[in-house]
Amino acid sequence: DTGVSQDPRHKITKRGQNVTFRCDPISEHNRLYWYRQTLGQGPEFLTYFQNEAQLEKSRLLSDRFSAERPKGSFSTLEIQRTEQGDSAMYLCASSLTDNTEAFFGQGTRLTVV
Amino acid sequence: AQSVSQHNHHVILSEAASLELGCNYSYGGTVNLFWYVQYPGQHLQLLLKYFSGDPLVKGIKGFEAEFIKSKFSFNLRKPSVQWSDTAEYFCAVMNTNAGKSTFGDGTTLTVKP
């Protein structure tokens, strides 16, 4: 499968713990996006990268959230000191260039207990 | 900030009925427009897209959408739905200056056999 891959698919963590998610985009896709989706809502933009450069961060991304794409390939999203409100599906998407369609991964479902 | 409004949260149809899902957006500049579909247990998949040219675009599985610039709308249509079209449908708008997409909250379509 050469689509967008996310790991893990599910994560249950205790409040206050740190978690890290990984996203492997489609090969040669320059753009990589992170979105968050909660029940009954559409995906909400968190941040995106053009190669290794992080171009924009949403106000939703508090200082407990950090994302990296060190070599312009895979990306990680870390949440420190998790809170119950962080429980959501975290989606990664990639696109070949800017202004082209994005392809989504299966998502990582985070549950904070 | 741009926003996307999907008017129907839940639509229930019988097989062979015609479908139209509304999508309106607020942004005065140049946009790219998308409809994504999410089948139960699966990831978001692109249904169709509009970048430029003919405002009536055709997608997979018999879906089509019409971009009406004056109405800031991009409604999705299908003349005859099937049970397998049961899914959640998301409209997304990309501001070509920003390069990221804003999603609506989705419409859940249930098709009764």
Side-chain angles (χ1 to χ4, degrees):
Chain A
D1 188 344
T2 57
V4 177
S5 176
Q6 292 188 245
D7 183 69
R9 294 286 305 279
H10 303 274
K11 178 70 176 179
I12 301 174
T13 191
K14 292 184 178 180
R15 190 172 49 189
Q17 297 293 304
N18 299 344
V19 294
T20 300
F21 309 141
R22 177 180 170 123
C23 171
D24 287 90
I26 294 172
S27 178
E28 298 180 353
H29 276 196
N30 294 325
R31 283 277 173 112
L32 186 147
Y33 306 84
W34 285 100
Y35 286 84
R36 182 173 67 187
Q37 187 177 20
T38 53
L39 199 61
Q41 309 259 325
E44 295 176 294
F45 169 78
L46 293 179
T47 187
Y48 78 95
F49 294 84
Q50 174 74 27
N51 298 314
E52 65 273 12
Q54 188 172 18
L55 296 186
E56 186 176 342
K57 292 169 60 173
S58 163
R59 287 174 296 175
L60 293 174
L61 219 62
S62 74
D63 57 4
R64 295 184 298 105
F65 288 71
S66 62
E68 293 182 341
R69 193 182 183 197
K71 296 182 180 179
S73 56
F74 74 91
S75 175
T76 58
L77 177 68
E78 181 183 16
I79 309 174
Q80 296 182 324
R81 306 181 303 281
T82 52
E83 302 173 356
Q84 284 190 320
D86 297 331
S87 296
M89 177 74 85
Y90 290 84
L91 300 171
C92 177
S94 69
S95 64
L96 186 60
T97 65
D98 60 335
N99 295 318
T100 57
E101 66 269 31
F103 294 84
F104 282 81
Q106 297 269 25
T108 293
R109 182 170 295 284
L110 173 66
T111 303
V112 181
V113 297
Chain B
Q2 63 191 41
S3 64
V4 180
S5 175
Q6 293 185 238
H7 315 297
N8 313 98
H9 294 295
H10 196 179
V11 172
I12 303 172
L13 295 172
S14 298
E15 275 193 315
S18 64
L19 170 71
E20 180 160 4
L21 301 182
C23 173
N24 284 87
Y25 64 94
S26 65
Y27 179 69
T30 304
V31 294
N32 296 330
L33 299 160
F34 310 92
W35 275 97
Y36 285 85
V37 60
Q38 188 167 26
Y39 298 104
Q42 296 189 25
H43 62 284
L44 280 163
Q45 300 171 43
L46 184 69
L47 202 54
L48 47 79
K49 62 188 179 185
Y50 172 81
F51 287 152
S52 64
D54 188 344
L56 184 62
V57 292
K58 295 190 183 299
I60 60 172
K61 304 186 180 184
F63 286 90
E64 65 179 31
E66 184 175 14
F67 171 46
I68 303 179
K69 190 175 181 180
S70 61
K71 295 184 177 180
F72 299 91
S73 71
F74 190 56
N75 292 353
L76 180 71
R77 298 194 292 249
K78 185 172 184 179
S80 176
V81 295
Q82 300 174 318
W83 176 79
S84 58
D85 293 325
T86 294
E88 192 156 18
Y89 293 81
F90 294 93
C91 179
V93 176
M94 176 186 280
N95 168 349
T96 57
N97 288 327
K100 66 182 195 312
S101 293
T102 300
F103 284 77
D105 283 339
T107 297
T108 301
L109 172 65
T110 301
V111 180
K112 294 182 174 180

